[in-house]
Amino acid sequence: LFDGKKIEFVLLEKLKGVDTKGWIFFAAAAVLAAALIIFLVQRRKKCTEPVTFTGNPTPTVILVHGALCIAISFVLSYFKLFSMPNGGSITLASMLPLMVYSNRYGAKYGVMAGVVYGFLQYIQNPEMTHWIQMLVDYPVAFGVIGLGGLVKGERNLVFSVLIGGTLRFLCHLFTGAVFFGEYAAAGQSAFMYSLLYNAPYMFADIAVCVIIAMLPPFRKAIRSALNTETPNNARLISTEKAERFKFFASTNKSEFE
């Protein structure tokens, strides 16, 4: 089926075989992710003014969260649990940060983040037989992950994962049938070859993302990291902060009177 090649457990082998360029990209992404996490933590700690819930985060916050999710996805993509012989692998939920981002901020921002990540994936591991194949397998395939943002909200996160993952699978199914059909066995259609090749690793990767997305600790973590409080909770937090602000303001005012 795969031209005599085997599906192998390659996590340790891949880490040992990463070249200098790969380690540079890995280190840069890790540093960027760490810097963005520190920035967000410090920003939350220094926020002392009363806030109100509007449901519309600022563009700066959206871009910062997008950069963070892209960086985390890029780092996770280096940890491949299984690798297919002609490309494709099961990773440590490398798609999930992009799916969370699109679910939080919608399809428009999710698609943009996915396209950027797709180009990073091409730089990391370039595979091109035709420019159309390159576009569909990288920026388009990862860009459509952002369409999971068509259903927004924490309760719909699993649906976002399923939508984004399935659309990415369809992109790889197309390129596999059109550009790699020559690897099909005698009497086997190019479509069937692409289906049998791409379905196992893609749906396994999607399953990993679904399982993690359903874990309550993970949901709590992203709720805190992306500030996804519900309107009622946000109003309560805003009220408490406003009361504290008024108390300190009145105390300082009384000292000067």
Side-chain angles (χ1 to χ4, degrees):
L1 181 60
F2 303 132
D3 197 23
K5 300 179 181 179
K6 296 180 179 179
I7 302 173
E8 299 176 348
F9 180 78
V10 295
L11 178 57
L12 297 179
E13 290 77 3
K14 285 288 184 181
L15 290 177
K16 292 179 182 178
V18 175
D19 58 12
T20 302
K21 183 180 73 173
W23 281 115
I24 291 174
F25 277 112
F26 180 85
V31 170
L32 177 60
L36 288 172
I37 291 172
I38 293 172
F39 169 79
L40 291 175
V41 171
Q42 293 300 321
R43 178 177 173 274
R44 289 175 68 85
K45 286 182 178 179
K46 292 180 179 179
C47 184
T48 57
E49 296 184 358
V51 296
T52 56
F53 182 82
T54 64
N56 297 313
T58 64
T60 300
V61 170
I62 295 174
L63 291 176
V64 169
H65 287 172
L68 175 62
C69 290
I70 291 171
I72 294 175
S73 288
F74 191 68
V75 171
L76 291 175
S77 70
Y78 273 88
F79 295 91
K80 299 179 180 180
L81 302 179
F82 292 91
S83 182
M84 299 295 284
N86 295 320
S89 59
I90 303 172
T91 64
L92 291 178
S94 62
M95 294 189 295
L96 190 54
L98 296 175
M99 295 167 169
V100 170
Y101 180 71
S102 64
N103 175 265
R104 173 70 175 94
Y105 296 114
K108 180 178 72 173
Y109 290 106
V111 169
M112 289 191 293
V115 169
V116 172
Y117 178 73
F119 281 112
L120 289 176
Q121 281 292 296
Y122 178 73
I123 295 173
Q124 179 191 34
N125 185 28
E127 291 281 348
M128 184 173 70
T129 59
H130 191 277
W131 66 270
I132 295 179
Q133 172 267 322
M134 186 277 288
L135 289 177
V136 177
D137 264 342
Y138 292 97
V140 174
F142 290 100
V144 295
I145 290 176
L147 292 179
L150 293 173
V151 288
K152 297 175 63 177
E154 182 186 329
R155 293 183 178 180
N156 295 320
L157 179 57
V158 172
F159 293 106
S160 293
V161 171
L162 293 174
I163 292 171
T166 301
L167 290 175
R168 181 193 163 190
F169 162 71
L170 292 177
C171 289
H172 295 318
L173 181 67
F174 168 77
T175 58
V178 175
F179 298 101
F180 299 97
E182 62 188 68
Y183 294 104
Q188 184 182 49
S189 68
F191 174 81
M192 183 57 64
Y193 165 78
S194 183
L195 178 65
L196 294 177
Y197 182 92
N198 289 290
Y201 80 86
M202 273 303 309
F203 287 117
D205 215 22
I206 294 171
V208 172
C209 293
V210 168
I211 292 172
I212 296 177
M214 294 175 65
L215 296 177
F218 176 79
R219 288 176 174 266
K220 182 178 180 180
I222 62 172
R223 191 183 306 125
S224 175
L226 298 183
N227 192 25
T228 56
E229 297 95 346
T230 61
N232 291 334
N233 288 340
R235 292 192 186 98
L236 178 61
I237 293 171
S238 300
T239 302
E240 292 176 350
K241 288 185 177 181
E243 292 298 326
R244 289 201 300 269
F245 182 76
K246 290 179 182 178
F247 171 77
F248 286 117
S250 61
T251 301
N252 292 334
K253 182 178 179 181
S254 62
E255 290 179 355
F256 291 97
E257 290 179 349

